[in-house]
Amino acid sequence: MATLATAALTLAAPAGQAAQATAFPAHGVTVARACTAPTKKDEMACNALQVTAGTPKSAHAESALTAAAAAPSGYGPASLQSAYNLPSASSGSGQTVAIVDAYDDPNAESDLAVYRSQYGLSACTTANGCFTKVDQNGGTSYPRGDSGWAEEISLDLDMVSAACPNCKILLVEAKTASMTNLGTAVNTAVSLGAKFVSNSYGGSESSSDATYDSSYFNHPGVAITVSSGDGGYGVEYPAASKYVTAVGGTSLNTASNSRGWTDTVWSGAGSGCSKYDAKPSWQKDTGCADRTVADVSAVADPNTGVAVYDSYRSATGWMVFGGTSASSPLIAATYALGGAPSSGSYPASFPYAHTSALYDVISGSNGSCGGSYLCTGTTGYDGPSGLGVPNGTTAFTG
């Protein structure tokens, strides 16, 4: 994974961990990686970044938009639905979005209840059939708890709720952060009926990726989204899989245009050419002989971050998060708003057939690549933002 060394921020370490060497671009705030960086092959890390100091721009914007100074900092559901023109009030009923993460969050359901209550969303509980939590094999032998991955889980659950309040949520917890265990959890999510599966983690590409592709990610008729990474220009797996929708990241700000919002490339978003995965037939850019990352994008900049509630080993509860861990579940939920994909389809191809139904992201950069589209926002397709960000659900339907 590439590291972007030109970040105007301070990187704080997660509690009990040494500071990580990677610099994360989030200008104006201090952020901490929720999960430790991968240290070996087959190991994944979540792509959640917590704001630990400073006031994100989204905090000011959310207060102004809601006229509620006491509201949690960071964008909430109404702002995200407005920014991406999502029909959240009327769509999504009957659809299940699966979240795949490692380790256990014992407070997942109760924390989700706090988030949804804060924003006036209907309850999503085990009792009413909206929320389900299983281990990677579909049972209730949950893995050990992990505070970093618990933050990731809270972020994922909250973002699905924000974009698709009517969706059911299935949380599948892998035993460890290995690709084999996480991949097994993906298969379990699909076997339990989920047509939308979000994966907010990544690690180094390897020669095993083709095997992982066929074993875990080749699920026609299922929309599988994966975070592109938070280290700037460079490619992670499983975002590089040709079977998934790789989700990049943007900075989301209010604007005086007709949309009321604008997205620019977030300088931490992952992008580039895969070393091992072949180019899918629907991808037509010429700068990569093989798979190009990303496909689409959504907000990921911690400085324009989202509100999240997490109480597991946390004294704060309400926090602001960014990273492409925010954008992946948002896109999975957007697919769900558009309805179940047809049997045998590859939902990763859908945005390529509806490019006009996306807001194009035409500025910003995530690193140095000779000024090409692979690391620079430009009209049409580019690496960091893909084809753009949602403008409703048309681009996410077959």
Side-chain angles (χ1 to χ4, degrees):
M1 291 179 290
T3 298
L4 187 64
T6 57
L9 60 82
T10 303
L11 178 66
Q17 297 175 13
Q20 301 297 307
T22 305
F24 293 110
H27 307 278
V29 296
T30 300
V31 300
R33 186 200 298 269
C35 303
T36 55
T39 59
K40 58 185 178 181
K41 180 181 178 293
D42 189 51
E43 185 179 30
M44 303 288 122
C46 69
N47 284 311
L49 299 178
Q50 179 196 353
V51 175
T52 57
T55 302
K57 290 192 289 184
S58 57
H60 297 298
E62 184 71 8
S63 295
L65 289 165
T66 61
S73 293
Y75 292 133
S79 292
L80 296 169
Q81 293 167 20
S82 170
Y84 298 126
N85 192 26
L86 302 180
S88 302
S90 59
S91 300
S93 295
Q95 305 300 340
T96 297
V97 179
I99 296 298
V100 171
D101 282 313
Y103 304 108
D104 181 38
D105 177 4
N107 298 355
E109 184 172 357
S110 58
D111 286 351
L112 178 62
V114 174
Y115 180 89
R116 293 178 71 103
S117 176
Q118 170 66 40
Y119 292 107
L121 307 180
S122 61
C124 186
T125 65
T126 301
N128 68 14
C130 174
F131 178 76
T132 304
K133 184 173 86 168
V134 298
D135 63 33
Q136 69 181 46
N137 298 310
T140 55
S141 297
Y142 304 124
R144 67 173 176 84
D146 182 276
S147 58
W149 280 91
E151 291 179 345
E152 173 64 62
I153 288 169
S154 292
L155 169 58
D156 292 342
L157 300 181
D158 292 354
M159 289 307 95
V160 172
S161 298
C164 188
N166 298 322
C167 283
K168 296 181 179 181
I169 303 176
L170 170 64
L171 171 61
V172 187
E173 297 181 332
K175 183 178 180 180
T176 71
S178 73
M179 189 64 257
T180 50
N181 283 326
L182 287 161
T184 298
V186 171
N187 288 344
T188 292
V190 175
S191 71
L192 292 175
K195 298 298 183 183
F196 316 93
V197 184
S198 177
N199 304 268
S200 292
Y201 56 82
S204 298
E205 293 191 277
S206 79
S207 57
S208 300
D209 291 352
T211 300
Y212 296 148
D213 277 354
S214 58
S215 297
Y216 307 129
F217 296 108
N218 186 7
H219 291 289
V222 179
I224 301 177
T225 64
V226 181
S227 301
S228 72
D230 298 341
Y233 183 57
V235 175
E236 290 187 350
Y237 188 86
S241 172
K242 61 185 177 182
Y243 297 117
V244 311
T245 300
V247 185
T250 67
S251 300
L252 174 67
N253 289 282
T254 56
S256 58
N257 56 23
S258 59
R259 177 188 168 197
W261 300 86
T262 185
D263 285 87
T264 58
V265 166
W266 173 47
S267 52
S271 70
C273 304
S274 172
K275 296 178 181 177
Y276 300 101
D277 254 82
K279 201 174 204 68
S281 60
W282 48 85
Q283 205 170 48
K284 304 299 183 181
D285 65 296
T286 59
C288 295
D290 294 314
R291 167 76 156 116
T292 312
V293 173
D295 297 307
V296 293
S297 55
V299 61
D301 183 351
N303 199 30
T304 64
V306 298
V308 172
Y309 187 84
D310 178 82
S311 67
Y312 184 51
R313 298 182 187 172
S314 169
T316 56
W318 286 105
M319 295 173 276
V320 177
F321 272 88
T324 51
S325 278
S327 55
S328 178
L330 281 170
I331 294 298
T334 302
Y335 271 109
L337 290 169
S342 60
S343 176
S345 67
Y346 281 97
S349 70
F350 295 173
Y352 290 85
H354 303 284
T355 57
S356 63
L358 294 154
Y359 293 119
D360 199 3
V361 181
I362 61 174
S363 63
S365 175
N366 68 344
S368 177
C369 63
S372 84
Y373 73 94
L374 294 174
C375 69
T376 307
T378 189
T379 301
Y381 178 84
D382 60 71
S385 71
L387 297 164
V389 299
N391 177 8
T393 62
T394 299
F396 301 91
T397 59

